[in-house]
């Protein structure tokens, strides 16, 4: 959704195609021809080139906007958060949410380490957001957009966000900044 949210916020025209990853369509020969990794999202640019991985896609479309800091250090910090999201946040928050919401697992069927690391990710974000309104700099960046995607629905994986008041306030700010409803 973060790709869609950015495209909408920037007012760019696009054609959105819902892809049910549970149906196996991302393993079809047609999809694998576009994206050999068989993952969503995948973007086909106007010139026919293909780009995959949500953070790479938002980086492409965010180029030249205020959502990518002009300052080299702040830009690097934004990338730091983007990489952290993929390796230390999404594998826990999103995976637990998927297992609870889509796979229908009971809480006692979820690997405790996933839940523990999900809370560790939320604690890191809470600490950062207790000191500042945004993850990097004085306004929203792609780091905020990337991290809000699964954080705003973490409760669907039984992560109680009321324990993280700075995150709750930040979610509202990010949703407002990007027009997320």
């Amino acid at each position: 959704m973060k790709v869609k949210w950015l495209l909408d916020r920037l007012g760019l025209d696009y054609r959105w195609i819902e892809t049910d990853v549970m149906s196996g369509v991302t393993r079809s020969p047609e999809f694998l021809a576009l994206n050999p990794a068989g993952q969503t999202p995948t973007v086909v640019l106007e010139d026919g080139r293909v780009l995959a991985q949500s953070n790479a896609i938002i980086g492409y479309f965010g180029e030249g906007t205020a959502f990518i800091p002009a300052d080299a250090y702040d830009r690097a910090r934004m990338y730091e958060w983007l990489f952290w999201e993929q390796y230390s946040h999404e594998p826990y928050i999103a995976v637990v949410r998927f297992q609870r919401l889509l796979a229908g697992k009971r809480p006692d069927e979820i690997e405790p380490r996933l839940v523990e690391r999900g809370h560790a990710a939320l604690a890191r974000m809470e600490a950062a957001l207790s000191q500042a309104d945004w993850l990097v700099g004085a306004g929203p960046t792609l780091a905020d957009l990337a991290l809000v995607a699964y954080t705003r629905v973490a409760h669907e994986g039984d992560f109680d966000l009321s324990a993280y008041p700075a995150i709750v306030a930040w979610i509202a700010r990010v949703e407002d900044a990007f027009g997320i409803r």
Side-chain angles (χ1 to χ4, degrees), residues 16-57:
W16 185 264
I17 300 171
E18 285 292 327
T19 306
D20 179 5
V21 297
M22 300 294 284
S23 73
V25 70
T26 60
R27 297 293 176 219
S28 70
E30 297 81 16
F31 193 89
L32 291 171
L34 288 176
N35 181 346
Q39 298 173 324
T40 61
T42 300
V43 171
V44 179
L45 301 172
E46 287 183 12
D47 63 7
R49 292 180 296 168
V50 177
L51 192 57
Q53 296 296 327
S54 58
N55 287 346
I57 295 167

Side-chain angles (χ1 to χ4, degrees), residues 89-103:
H89 180 280
E90 187 272 342
Y92 309 110
I93 303 294
V95 169
V96 172
R97 176 184 176 263
F98 176 87
Q99 290 181 3
R100 290 286 292 130
L101 186 68
L102 299 174

Side-chain angles (χ1 to χ4, degrees), residues 150-171:
Y150 282 116
T151 304
R152 69 191 291 270
V153 293
H155 64 279
E156 294 173 351
D158 296 330
F159 291 99
D160 181 5
L161 292 181
S162 69
Y164 305 99
I167 289 176
V168 171
W170 167 82
I171 289 170

